[in-house]
């Protein structure tokens, strides 16, 4: 699938474009269904977007915070107070500064001793929240993703077991190179989103971005290649530094723009 790759000259422009996508998706979802369900990305790149959404009056006032539900597409196996927590990063950059009801924050409980228990609990949270039947996957209105310089996304790292999971919604994933357990959405959960948006900045991502979207299909090496929305859209927002190795510009992808009626 050829994604809609949009190349923005500087990171500031990328995050403004991302805010526009984010708020637009939220407003449409609330207008259509009365709620917006978003899976936030972790790492450092999205922090600037989160700060913009909460800090720039135009975006803050346009967001339907009360009707928005926040999930995380992956988490480290750490407590929410830990410096590495993706939940903590989003809280500090955005969620503790806006009027989102605490009950709308659906965090991954990384503090639990066993990562697999955390994953199973989060899977139950998703099934209950989305009212899923066995075999069904949640349809997030928006799933934000970052990309590592090794082509990983969420906590789907090269050569790890989670890459092959097609039945579970959420799994724990041993990442040897980090000597750590992670909790992550699986590929089918991400692929069932209405709109997946990659946020990729910086020259250290240039080789990975080109390999993922223009290189041979080698998902074990470049797991971000596995992300191919089943009925939704795939957008890549990259700054010029990250897009430096792309041979061709963006191509607007066909594809739907919303969850199927049963969602
Ligand atoms: C995480 C993320 C991970 C991240 C990439 C890029 O928990 O770290 O889910 O997939 O998006 O590693 O990270 P940066 O944005 O920090 O470059």
């Amino acid at each position: 699938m050829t994604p809609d790759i949009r190349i923005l000259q500087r990171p500031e422009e990328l995050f403004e474009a991302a805010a526009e996508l984010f708020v637009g998706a939220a407003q449409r979802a609330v207008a259509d269904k009365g709620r917006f369900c978003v899976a936030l990305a972790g790492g450092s790149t999205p922090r600037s977007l989160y700060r913009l959404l909460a800090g720039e009056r135009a975006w803050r006032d346009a967001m339907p915070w009360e009707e928005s539900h926040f999930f995380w597409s992956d988490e480290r196996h750490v407590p929410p107070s830990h410096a590495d927590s993706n939940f903590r990063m989003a809280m500090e950059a955005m969620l503790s500064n806006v009027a989102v009801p605490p009950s709308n924050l659906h965090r991954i409980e990384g503090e639990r001793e066993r990562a697999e228990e955390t994953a199973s609990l989060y899977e139950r949270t998703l099934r209950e929240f989305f009212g899923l039947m066995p075999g069904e996957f949640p349809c997030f209105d928006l799933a934000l993703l970052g990309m590592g310089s090794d082509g990983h996304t969420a906590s789907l790292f090269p050569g790890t077991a989670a890459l092959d999971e097609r039945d579970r919604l959420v799994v724990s994933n041993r990442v040897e190179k980090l000597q750590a357990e992670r909790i992550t959405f699986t590929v089918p959960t991400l692929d069932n989103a209405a709109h997946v948006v990659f946020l990729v900045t910086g020259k250290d991502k240039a080789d990975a971005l080109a390999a993922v979207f223009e290189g041979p299909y080698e998902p074990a090496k470049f797991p971000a290649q596995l992300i191919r929305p089943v009925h939704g859209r795939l957008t890549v927002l990259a700054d010029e530094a990250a897009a430096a190795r792309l041979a061709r510009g963006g191509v607007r992808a066909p594809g739907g723009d919303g969850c199927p009626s049963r969602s």
Side-chain angles (χ1 to χ4, degrees):
M1 168 179 201
T2 307
D4 170 14
I5 300 180
R6 293 173 55 191
I7 300 168
L8 292 304
Q9 191 171 7
R10 297 188 318 279
E12 299 74 29
E13 294 169 328
L14 182 147
F15 294 119
E16 285 289 341
E20 188 174 1
L21 282 177
F22 193 105
V23 173
Q27 291 178 336
R28 277 193 303 278
V30 170
D32 295 349
K33 302 180 295 179
R35 74 182 188 187
F36 170 56
C37 300
V38 57
L40 297 180
S44 59
T45 302
R47 183 182 290 119
S48 300
L49 168 61
Y50 302 159
R51 284 180 176 153
L52 193 60
L53 288 168
E56 183 111 350
R57 185 185 178 113
W59 297 125
R60 186 177 66 247
D61 292 353
M63 262 299 292
W65 299 105
E66 299 257 327
E67 296 86 6
S68 296
H69 288 264
F70 295 85
F71 299 78
W72 278 258
S73 51
D74 74 323
E75 186 57 278
R76 289 80 182 278
H77 189 207
V78 297
S81 56
H82 194 283
D84 290 348
S85 166
N86 287 333
F87 171 79
R88 174 176 162 178
M89 185 274 279
M91 287 299 288
E92 291 177 344
M94 174 169 68
L95 297 169
S96 55
N97 306 316
V98 293
V100 60
S103 57
N104 288 22
L105 305 179
H106 310 276
R107 74 176 180 87
I108 299 172
E109 296 179 5
E111 67 274 24
R112 290 181 177 270
E113 188 177 345
R114 293 176 46 252
E116 180 45 41
E117 182 188 7
T118 295
S120 300
L121 273 173
Y122 206 54
E123 199 163 43
R124 191 188 313 160
T125 297
L126 296 179
R127 289 193 187 287
E128 289 171 0
F129 183 87
F130 288 95
L132 302 180
M133 304 297 282
E136 286 187 325
F137 290 89
C139 179
F140 286 92
D141 300 298
L142 178 64
L144 295 180
L145 289 174
M147 186 184 295
S149 55
D150 60 356
H152 82 263
T153 191
S155 286
L156 301 167
F157 283 81
T160 60
L163 301 189
D164 301 322
E165 179 58 52
R166 293 296 178 273
D167 299 317
R168 300 278 304 275
L169 279 61
V170 184
V171 292
S172 61
N173 194 29
R174 177 71 188 169
V175 186
E176 285 307 330
K177 85 176 215 182
L178 302 177
Q179 284 295 294
E181 294 289 325
R182 290 285 189 94
I183 298 94
T184 185
F185 278 6
T186 58
V187 171
T189 295
L190 290 166
D191 280 356
N192 206 48
H195 193 181
V196 177
V197 178
F198 277 99
L199 305 176
V200 192
T201 63
K203 63 183 185 308
D204 64 323
K205 307 293 177 75
D207 289 339
L209 195 67
V212 167
F213 292 109
E214 294 184 349
Y217 186 64
E218 300 175 291
K221 276 177 69 178
F222 303 107
Q225 290 183 329
L226 291 165
I227 307 307
R228 299 177 162 195
V230 175
H231 46 242
R233 290 164 59 197
L234 177 59
T235 299
V236 178
L237 298 182
D239 66 0
E240 278 194 348
R245 298 268 188 283
L246 287 182
R248 57 176 185 270
V251 174
R252 181 159 294 285
D257 180 11
C259 299
S261 54
R262 164 90 181 87
S263 67

